[in-house]
Amino acid sequence: YRNNLQKYIEIYVQKVNPSRLPIVVGGLLDVDCSEDIIKSLMMAVRGQFSTDELVEEVEKRNRLKLLLPWLEAKIHDGSEEPATHNALAKIYIDANNNPERFLRENPYYDSKVVGKYCEKRDPHLACIAYERGQCDAELIKVCNENSLFKSLARYLVRRRDPDLWAEVLQETNQFRRQLIDQVVQTALSETQDPEDVSCTVKAFMTADLPNELIELLEKIVLENSVFSDHRNLQNL
């Protein structure tokens, strides 16, 4: 590159060893090569190389945005490769380019990879990614660490998983009270689905939480909700 022999670099990655493109791109970034040259080099290489490796080389130099045209071209060509969609998600998150919509609607990215990337940047986005992939343990952890008990309560009510309820309602969970408050005050008040209520009530009964269960029932039966006339809940 320093001797203006870019042609040899092109021949090397196009014909000799395309799998080394990620390393070549990293090396060119280190010698302050112009982004246009790197972009055209990536567009020209049709051989097999690892998208994950390319993303890693560019990401560790904080130049991820450089990949945007190449990634969008790949997706336009119909690529469903998770690594491609993961990288695009990271760029949209960093640029705040409607990331929430991308995380909710894109079916191809890896929820754990992208969720982890979001944790320190925006925990709310991490919740969206983890919920989409039903990454229960990761979602509980990020909600507890960032006091996002409202988001966790909504997730648990929608998820309707008895084992998951049993885990978060254990006495050993130091955040149990904050979570129960949000289940009672917010998550159940918002739902219109009787199955959501039924699963939550069963979970509180199984966890032997009679006082908290009364709080919950008073909220949904006595306070003019869609379940005010629900005979079974009134009986309970």
Side-chain angles (χ1 to χ4, degrees):
Y1 173 73
R2 288 191 175 124
N3 292 291
N4 287 320
L5 300 170
Q6 280 102 314
K7 192 78 197 151
Y8 290 102
I9 300 174
E10 285 171 29
I11 291 167
Y12 176 67
V13 290
Q14 284 175 15
K15 299 193 172 137
V16 181
N17 198 345
S19 68
R20 300 292 284 170
L21 178 74
I23 306 296
V24 171
V25 168
L28 288 171
L29 285 171
D30 289 342
V31 294
D32 293 325
C33 176
S34 111
E35 287 197 357
D36 290 339
I37 291 174
I38 295 173
K39 284 176 185 172
S40 62
L41 191 64
M42 291 191 308
M43 290 294 194
V45 176
R46 287 279 169 258
Q48 292 300 306
F49 59 88
S50 161
T51 302
D52 273 328
E53 273 181 41
L54 179 61
V55 170
E56 188 187 335
E57 289 296 327
V58 178
E59 192 179 342
K60 66 189 178 189
R61 293 167 173 86
N62 293 318
R63 302 287 286 278
L64 199 53
K65 203 173 166 198
L66 165 78
L67 297 181
L68 187 58
W70 177 77
L71 291 166
E72 287 180 334
K74 275 192 80 176
I75 286 168
H76 182 71
D77 290 341
S79 172
E80 296 179 3
E81 179 191 34
T84 300
H85 292 265
N86 292 348
L88 199 59
K90 290 175 180 180
I91 293 170
Y92 287 163
I93 290 156
D94 287 344
N96 199 20
N97 179 5
N98 210 350
E100 195 167 317
R101 183 178 169 193
F102 181 90
L103 294 177
R104 288 190 195 284
E105 295 179 3
N106 182 290
Y108 303 116
Y109 72 87
D110 183 318
S111 292
K112 282 190 180 179
V113 171
V114 175
K116 184 79 181 158
Y117 187 79
C118 293
E119 279 189 15
K120 294 283 184 283
R121 291 164 175 80
D122 185 339
H124 287 284
L125 293 178
C127 287
I128 293 169
Y130 286 146
E131 176 168 358
R132 174 262 201 189
Q134 294 191 339
C135 308
D136 300 328
E138 290 81 1
L139 189 132
I140 290 169
K141 181 170 172 284
V142 79
C143 286
N144 286 344
E145 285 174 355
N146 296 279
S147 300
L148 299 174
F149 302 112
K150 197 179 283 187
S151 298
L152 181 54
R154 286 173 175 144
Y155 176 70
L156 290 162
V157 167
R158 284 194 296 262
R159 184 87 164 81
R160 303 176 188 168
D161 184 317
D163 294 336
L164 204 55
W165 272 120
E167 183 186 333
V168 296
L169 292 177
Q170 285 178 46
E171 207 173 330
T172 51
N173 176 14
Q174 67 187 85
F175 304 107
R176 182 170 77 166
R177 185 64 248 180
Q178 295 101 305
L179 176 62
I180 289 172
D181 287 343
Q182 290 304 328
V183 171
V184 173
Q185 297 301 325
T186 307
L188 274 190
S189 308
E190 292 172 350
T191 186
Q192 307 284 310
D193 193 322
E195 194 59 33
D196 286 347
V197 175
S198 169
C199 288
T200 307
V201 167
K202 278 181 195 157
F204 275 61
M205 290 169 78
T206 305
D208 195 20
L209 295 168
N211 297 331
E212 290 80 357
L213 181 58
I214 288 169
E215 267 181 69
L216 188 152
L217 290 168
E218 283 179 344
K219 180 80 178 167
I220 53 177
V221 175
L222 301 182
E223 289 191 15
N224 283 333
S225 79
V226 285
F227 303 105
S228 298
D229 300 327
H230 200 287
R231 182 66 55 82
N232 288 348
L233 291 176
Q234 286 180 343
N235 290 346
L236 186 61

